């Protein structure tokens, strides 16, 4: 058995949001720690094969449809990192071939196909393919690793998949061309489809809608331009000026949302470490393509080094030999459930390795990160910015506000099917340790949005029909306003418009204080069974004084509500229902009003004071 190299460990970052106490080491040195982790899984797979278990989970019994491809990529990273004269290499190549034989007949879809063929192409470039994959297995892979498994031909339509899968299909077709498995026709058509679809559903703003124009955006909408540029670089195409312009917009959002502690995007689903590696992908690609200024490049690299450090010290658990997105009070959506634990290790470590390679190619290998990142972000990035994602019938935008060590992302991005009722997509000011969504939360306890229960049994919240988003400076801060001519009627996979109630919303953002004011107006007198407002907070030690809840510990000091009858607070420590992607909530604050006839405007206001 090959020896596992020692992994440098550091104290796990607490939820205090404090900047790292130690100087950040070069990103490349941090990412070198990925290889012992990959080597551990390599050895376990050789020994246990499809019987492998990780923290009680059996990955090969989990129906992870990307797993074979992620295994191929993760283990290829180990091979490619091993010197050609290393006496272990011949045995490692035989082991890789054995694992390829094991997985070749397993389910492997879309992203898994992309990962697998990308690994084969890199092995081919390194002159290792013939030794790493046996001829009969390679012949099977040539037939199976095909974009046609999820694209209809000759129409070139995706088969029941989100729009970003055009990029996956193009990448596979382009890699098949480079492998000598097909000609350029399909990759040319899919490239055209990908870019056309991006243009159709990003409009003049440059960020890709996850739906067919229904207005759902998240971190992936910002990442996609970088991903497309990466596919061009990976397959030897010249990145166009138009793509560089889109990447510049993504880089601006990433730098505006950057935090010196290495945390990343805080809104939308599938976060955890992916909210941070998305930042790595955007900024490393922008640096390599010369999209950043020299100063921005220096500090984007410093931020990237912090992200790498945070992965190793916060997300990686040496006791498990694994990334941990599911323990310590953390929570993921079903898509990234713990059944995918092996594949998540491979894909995250591959992202760290590939983005480190991009930084190396950008001239930053082993560069010492700038130590004044926090000061630069405060000085060089805007205190407040609004990035528009879509306009027309409804507005979609992201307001980013920087208040000392806290960065708030007020995401007004919610439309389309499947996610509208889940709190990561609510129009809220998300900020690490202050306000968080809860993956797959549903709307049983909608985070910081009043829920109307009508006498007829309907439940309504204000999520998806935003219009006329406006911003302005106010004394000592900023204001964001919008209106909705209808609330969302809950219970369906898509947001259903209910015009019985309209709402005008105002956020005011001042140092240490966020206030949201909703003015609800009924179209006609309406019987309401009750209104409730919940706030799942990381702060603890709650005391209630009227409609003000004070906290003894945590970043949030008080939560106050006007317009509802009474408030209470409950300790939810240990509750499965109240977990953020990065850790547990501690207190559920709830305010309520009982039955009434709704026949005049109702103003509901909440204020969060934080330190």
């Amino acid at each position: 058995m090959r020896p596992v190299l020692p992994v440098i460990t550091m104290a796990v970052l607490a939820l205090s949001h404090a900047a790292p106490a130690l100087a950040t080491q070069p990103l490349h040195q941090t990412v070198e720690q990925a290889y012992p982790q990959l080597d551990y899984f390599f050895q376990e797979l050789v020994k246990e094969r499809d019987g492998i278990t990780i923290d009680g989970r059996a990955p090969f019994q989990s129906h992870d449809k990307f797993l074979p491809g992620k295994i191929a990529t993760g283990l290829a990273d180990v091979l490619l990192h091993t010197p050609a004269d290393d006496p272990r290499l011949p045995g490692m190549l035989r082991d890789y071939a054995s694992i390829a034989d094991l997985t070749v007949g397993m389910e492997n879809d879309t992203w898994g196909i992309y990962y697998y063929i990308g690994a084969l192409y890199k092995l081919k470039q390194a002159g290792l393919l013939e030794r790493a994959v046996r001829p009969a297995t390679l012949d099977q892979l040539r037939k199976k690793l095909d974009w046609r498994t999820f694209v209809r031909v000759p129409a070139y339509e995706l088969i029941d998949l989100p729009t970003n899968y055009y990029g996956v299909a193009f990448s596979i077709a382009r890699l098949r061309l480079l492998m000598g498995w097909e000609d350029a026709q399909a990759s040319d058509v899919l490239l055209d489809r990908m870019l056309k679809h991006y243009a159709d559903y990003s409009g003049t703003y440059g960020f890709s809608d996850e739906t067919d124009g229904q207005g759902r955006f998240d971190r992936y909408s910002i990442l996609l331009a970088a991903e497309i540029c990466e596919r061009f670089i990976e397959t030897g195409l010249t990145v166009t000026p138009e793509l560089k312009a889109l990447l510049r917009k993504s880089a601006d959002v990433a730098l505006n949302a950057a935090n010196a502690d290495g945390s990343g995007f805080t809104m939308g689903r599938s976060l955890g470490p992916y909210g941070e590696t998305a930042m790595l992908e955007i900024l490393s690609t922008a640096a390599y393509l010369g999209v950043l200024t020299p100063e921005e490049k220096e500090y984007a690299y410093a931020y990237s080094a912090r992200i790498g450090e945070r992965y190793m010290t916060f997300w990686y658990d040496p006791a498990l030999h694994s990334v941990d997105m599911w323990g310590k009070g953390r929570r993921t959506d079903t898509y990234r459930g713990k059944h995918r634990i092996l594949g998540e290790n491979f894909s995250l470590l591959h992202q760290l390795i590939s983005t480190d390679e991009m930084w190396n190619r950008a001239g930053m290998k082993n560069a010492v990160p700038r130590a004044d990142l926090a000061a630069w972000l405060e000085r060089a990035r805007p205190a407040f910015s609004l990035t528009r994602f879509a306009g027309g019938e409804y507005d979609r935008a992201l307001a980013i506000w920087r208040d000392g060590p806290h960065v708030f992302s007020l995401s007004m991005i919610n439309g389309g099917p499947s996610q509208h009722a889940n709190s990561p997509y609510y129009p809220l000011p998300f900020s690490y340790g202050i306000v968080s969504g809860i993956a797959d939360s549903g709307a049983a306890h909608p985070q910081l949005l009043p829920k109307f229960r009508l006498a007829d049994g309907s439940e309504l919240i204000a999520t998806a029909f935003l219009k006329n988003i406006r911003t302005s400076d106010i004394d000592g801060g900023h204001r964001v306003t919008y209106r909705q001519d209808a609330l969302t009627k809950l219970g369906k996979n898509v947001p259903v418009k209910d015009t019985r109630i309209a709402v005008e919303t105002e956020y005011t953002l001042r140092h240490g204080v966020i206030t949201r004011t909703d003015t609800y107006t009924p179209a006609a007198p309406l019987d309401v069974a009750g209104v409730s407002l919940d706030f799942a907070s990381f702060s603890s030690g709650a005391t209630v004084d009227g409609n003000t809840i004070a906290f003894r510990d945590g970043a949030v000091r008080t939560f106050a509500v006007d317009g509802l009858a009474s408030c209470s607070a409950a300790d939810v420590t240990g509750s499965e229902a109240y977990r953020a992607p990065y850790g547990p909530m501690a207190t559920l604050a709830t305010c309520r009003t009982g039955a009434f006839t709704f026949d005049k405007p109702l103003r509901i206001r909440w204020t969060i004071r934080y330190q």
Side-chain angles (χ1 to χ4, degrees):
M1 182 176 294
R2 300 185 303 278
V4 179
L5 300 176
V7 178
I8 300 171
T9 59
M10 301 173 65
V12 174
L13 294 178
L15 283 178
S16 64
H17 204 63
L22 302 176
T24 305
Q25 67 180 357
L27 176 64
H28 185 65
Q29 292 181 24
T30 298
V31 173
E32 283 293 303
Q33 299 174 48
Y35 293 102
Q37 297 174 31
L38 290 169
D39 193 73
Y40 170 80
F41 292 120
F42 203 153
Q43 293 181 52
E44 289 298 297
L45 282 165
V46 170
K47 182 174 62 176
E48 304 292 341
R49 296 179 65 78
D50 57 358
I52 188 174
T53 60
I54 305 171
D55 198 25
R57 299 302 172 105
F60 285 97
Q61 309 304 318
S62 68
H63 305 292
D64 182 347
K65 59 186 179 180
F66 308 147
L67 183 57
K70 291 185 175 183
I71 290 172
T73 285
L75 302 190
D77 284 333
V78 179
L79 295 180
L80 295 166
H81 187 256
T82 304
D85 59 355
D86 191 314
R88 302 176 303 159
L89 184 57
M92 295 167 70
L93 289 164
R94 289 192 297 271
D95 289 340
Y96 190 96
S98 176
I99 293 168
D101 292 344
L102 173 70
T103 62
V104 68
M106 296 178 180
E107 181 183 18
N108 186 44
D109 296 344
T110 58
W111 278 106
I113 295 172
Y114 164 71
Y115 277 116
Y116 212 132
I117 195 170
L120 297 182
Y121 179 58
K122 287 185 176 180
L123 291 171
K124 179 181 179 180
Q125 286 181 303
L128 297 175
L129 181 59
E130 292 182 356
R131 299 165 65 194
V133 183
R134 295 184 177 95
T137 300
L138 187 61
D139 187 58
Q140 291 185 65
L141 289 169
R142 178 175 179 169
K143 297 171 184 175
K144 293 173 67 73
L145 303 180
D146 199 323
W147 53 270
R148 295 169 186 83
T149 59
F150 59 98
V151 177
R152 293 188 184 94
V153 288
Y156 288 90
E157 296 172 343
L158 293 170
I159 302 172
D160 300 326
L161 288 169
T163 58
N164 60 285
Y165 279 81
Y166 274 117
V168 182
F170 157 72
S171 301
I172 295 167
R174 177 72 180 165
L175 287 165
R176 285 180 63 86
L177 167 66
L178 295 174
M179 289 291 292
W181 291 355
E182 65 179 66
D183 61 25
Q185 180 183 358
S187 60
D188 289 346
V189 173
L190 287 166
L191 174 60
D192 181 71
R193 285 296 179 96
M194 176 179 68
L195 296 178
K196 183 178 185 300
H197 197 277
Y198 195 113
D200 286 347
Y201 296 108
S202 64
T204 60
Y205 300 107
F207 300 97
S208 182
D209 192 336
E210 282 208 322
T211 67
D212 288 333
Q214 295 163 291
R216 187 178 78 217
F217 298 84
D218 64 10
R219 62 152 190 111
Y220 201 85
S221 304
I222 303 165
L223 170 62
L224 188 56
E227 261 196 8
I228 294 172
C229 291
E230 288 171 26
R231 300 296 86 82
F232 273 53
I233 296 166
E234 177 185 38
T235 60
L237 295 174
T238 300
V239 178
T240 65
E242 293 79 10
L243 282 174
K244 288 183 181 181
L246 293 173
L247 179 60
R248 176 69 228 192
K249 291 184 177 184
S250 295
D252 274 328
V253 175
L255 290 172
N256 288 348
N259 199 297
D261 67 358
S263 56
F265 290 117
T266 52
M267 77 292 183
R269 63 188 173 95
S270 293
L271 288 175
Y274 287 93
E276 294 152 22
T277 58
M279 295 287 201
L280 268 176
E281 289 193 62
I282 293 166
L283 295 175
S284 62
T285 307
Y288 173 74
L289 291 174
V291 168
L292 304 179
T293 68
E295 181 179 83
E296 287 173 336
K297 180 179 175 180
E298 287 282 334
Y299 287 99
Y301 170 75
Y303 176 46
S304 297
R306 293 278 173 88
I307 291 170
E309 179 183 76
R310 180 171 159 82
Y311 182 85
M312 296 301 174
T313 60
F314 182 80
W315 293 109
Y316 177 68
D317 186 337
L320 298 178
H321 296 282
S322 173
V323 66
D324 187 2
M325 296 187 278
W326 312 276
K328 303 181 179 71
R330 302 167 191 170
R331 175 167 168 160
T332 63
D333 55 4
T334 302
Y335 178 75
R336 296 205 191 278
K338 196 172 181 180
H339 66 286
R340 289 178 55 176
I341 186 169
L342 181 58
E344 296 304 313
N345 276 279
F346 282 129
S347 58
L348 283 163
L349 292 171
H350 180 69
Q351 286 185 28
L352 290 173
I353 290 167
S354 60
T355 52
D356 176 54
E357 289 174 351
M358 197 75 79
W359 274 116
N360 294 344
R361 294 170 70 181
M364 302 301 287
K365 184 174 183 178
N366 287 323
V368 177
R370 296 291 296 259
D372 58 339
L373 174 61
W376 182 82
L377 290 169
E378 188 77 16
R379 179 182 74 252
R381 303 312 301 175
F384 179 86
S385 63
L386 181 77
T387 302
R388 293 191 180 272
F389 287 178
E393 184 180 8
Y394 302 112
D395 287 352
R396 301 288 184 257
L398 174 65
I400 299 174
W401 180 48
R402 187 174 295 278
D403 185 18
H406 303 293
V407 181
F408 293 87
S409 293
L410 174 51
S411 57
M412 297 162 281
I413 54 173
N414 190 336
S418 76
Q419 292 292 333
H420 71 94
N422 292 327
S423 56
Y425 284 86
Y426 291 170
L428 297 177
F430 297 111
S431 184
Y432 188 85
I434 296 177
V435 176
S436 174
I438 300 171
D440 292 346
S441 66
H445 297 276
Q447 177 81 308
L448 287 169
L449 295 184
K451 179 165 70 172
F452 285 75
R453 292 181 295 106
L454 305 187
D456 65 4
S458 302
E459 293 187 330
L460 313 180
I461 58 176
T463 61
F465 304 109
L466 282 66
K467 295 183 176 183
N468 199 34
I469 295 173
R470 295 289 182 267
T471 67
S472 58
D473 293 334
I474 57 175
D475 182 32
H478 309 275
R479 176 188 287 119
V480 180
T481 62
Y482 57 84
R483 64 183 174 86
Q484 298 184 69
D485 295 336
L487 301 191
T488 300
K489 185 176 181 180
L490 299 171
K492 300 294 185 182
N493 187 49
V494 297
V496 175
K497 186 184 298 186
D498 193 313
T499 58
R500 288 178 288 179
I501 302 176
V503 61
E504 294 185 359
T505 298
E506 176 190 78
Y507 277 103
T508 59
L509 313 169
R510 291 186 171 92
H511 175 59
V513 185
I514 292 179
T515 298
R516 172 177 168 137
T517 304
D518 289 317
T519 303
Y520 293 93
T521 303
L526 190 62
D527 290 331
V528 175
V531 182
S532 61
L533 173 64
D534 291 347
F535 173 38
S537 172
F538 299 97
S539 294
S540 59
T543 57
V544 181
D545 182 7
N547 279 14
T548 298
I549 298 170
F551 299 95
R552 183 183 64 247
D553 301 306
V556 174
R557 307 312 297 153
T558 62
F559 175 63
V561 175
D562 295 321
L564 297 177
S566 63
C567 294
S568 61
D571 185 341
V572 293
T573 303
S575 171
E576 293 281 343
Y578 297 103
R579 294 183 169 191
Y582 46 82
M585 281 97 164
T587 304
L588 177 65
T590 300
C591 300
R592 299 184 185 278
T593 286
F596 65 101
T597 298
F598 189 15
D599 57 3
K600 60 184 178 181
L602 170 66
R603 188 184 73 178
I604 299 175
R605 172 182 292 164
W606 57 253
T607 299
I608 292 174
R609 296 183 182 274
Y610 58 90
Q611 61 182 10

